[in-house]
Amino acid sequence: MELFSPLKMGALTLPNRIVMAPLTRGRAGLSRVPNVFMKEYYEMRASAGLIIAEATAITPEGYGWYASPGIYTSEQVDGWKQVTQGVHDHGGRIFLQLWHMGRRAHSSFNDGQSIVSPSELQMTVPGVTTRDIHQNSVPYETPRALRTDEIPRVIEDYVQAAKNAKEAGFDGIEVHAANGYLLDCFLQSSVNTRTDAYGGSKEKRFRIVQELLERLGEVWPMDRIGIRFSPNGSLGSPDNFESFTYYASQLNRYGLAYLHLMDGTGYGNHGLDKRVRLMDVRKVFDGVVMGNVGYTRDVAEGVIRSGAADLVAFGRLYLSNPDLVRRFQENLPVEDGPGPETWFGRKPDAADTLEGYLTFRPYQEPQAAASPPAAPAPDATN
């Protein structure tokens, strides 16, 4: 199968086309520092062609998920070092996803400081709330719009996080520009109402990503930088197809490691414009394309054979199948994932959150049932 063939991705050679998607698990505790449990979790999954580590906060300003890790303190960098070393010791490769939650953050995680976004538009999805630092279910807050003169500072926060990721031993980074977080809100005409150089036309909405990639390229080789878009998710705009195919075409100037496209609709579909599919991106983007959301082994094989994608990321299957590559390759049973109640840690001490996190182990052959003891030989004297 093509899924198990190697792929040259810039200076890296991936042994297969199976990617572990970034999965928020909330196992860093309130310290936000990666720990030995996270090390064990990731090194068990090192057979993936590439691991993209969970979304990781670049700054307290962009933080809003209980017990998720950061990459903005020396303690966090040291915590990640044990994770990357564990993955490398098991023959793996690992990128870090850089995350600023924008209007999806919450001020309680940052001493009451206002959350920020391109525009002062509250996130409002019927029936959807967020959680504050006390784990209360609360409405999303109305963000403060970033001033034009603040945007260089935000970019520098990403740059410092990229430097920290390199110090921590990662093989590369992924820019999280999807799922309604800060950069996605700049890209979306429905929530970017700015009238300065970072809003209005699709060219202006893309400007912050362009400036960010140029700065990140001063820290990492461009072929160690990936980016993630989600044009079909619950956040959308009436011009998404035109905008995101334009954005993809503009990435050609950089020679990135890959474009990670959330092309599936498993997390919702805004329905405001036609879907952006892998082949639509392939037509305009010359680099490595990665698909994601809802793939099975056989569907992934199909999109790779078709030429629409080079890599496919798997998320929920990796929750319960740390050796997913082997299970796919040897037609071994694939376990159902844990229930939503254990997806996220949500406890101050990571040691109290291991159920559903480290309980799933690599496949082991069923043990043959023990044979019953042999009957005693008859007594020859009888």
Side-chain angles (χ1 to χ4, degrees), residues 67 89 160 213 243 259 365:
D89 287 346
Q160 184 59 54
L213 290 174
S243 295
L259 168 54
E365 295 290 343

Side-chain angles (χ1 to χ4, degrees), residues 28 45 172 337 372 382:
R45 291 156 173 81
N382 289 343

Side-chain angles (χ1 to χ4, degrees), residues 277-298:
R277 301 176 187 271
L278 290 173
M279 194 56 79
D280 298 317
V281 167
R282 175 64 86 197
K283 291 175 181 177
V284 298
F285 178 65
D286 300 334
V288 171
V289 175
M290 181 189 305
N292 192 354
V293 184
Y295 280 91
T296 63
R297 183 193 69 170
D298 292 342

Side-chain angles (χ1 to χ4, degrees), residues 98 154-159 175-176 183 206-218 222 225 227 254:
L98 303 184
V154 172
I155 291 175
E156 289 308 307
D157 287 339
Y158 277 95
V159 171
V175 176
H176 198 341
L183 295 177
F206 187 66
R207 179 175 176 176
I208 188 171
V209 172
Q210 177 182 341
E211 292 179 355
L212 173 58
L213 290 174
E214 290 169 357
R215 288 286 288 117
L216 292 177
E218 298 171 13
M222 283 295 187
I225 302 171
I227 190 168
Y254 301 111

Side-chain angles (χ1 to χ4, degrees), residues 216-298:
L216 292 177
E218 298 171 13
V219 179
W220 285 90
M222 283 295 187
D223 65 4
R224 297 298 184 99
I225 302 171
I227 190 168
R228 186 191 219 190
F229 290 155
S230 60
N232 305 318
S234 55
L235 175 64
S237 307
D239 58 349
N240 262 29
F241 188 89
E242 176 188 352
S243 295
F244 279 90
T245 50
Y246 168 78
Y247 302 150
S249 72
Q250 295 305 295
L251 296 177
N252 286 326
R253 69 181 72 176
Y254 301 111
L256 298 179
Y258 59 80
L259 168 54
H260 181 178
L261 190 75
M262 306 284 285
D263 61 297
T265 57
Y267 298 120
N269 183 8
H270 53 76
L272 299 173
D273 198 1
K274 62 180 179 179
R275 283 178 58 189
V276 179
R277 301 176 187 271
L278 290 173
M279 194 56 79
D280 298 317
V281 167
R282 175 64 86 197
K283 291 175 181 177
V284 298
F285 178 65
D286 300 334
V288 171
V289 175
M290 181 189 305
N292 192 354
V293 184
Y295 280 91
T296 63
R297 183 193 69 170
D298 292 342

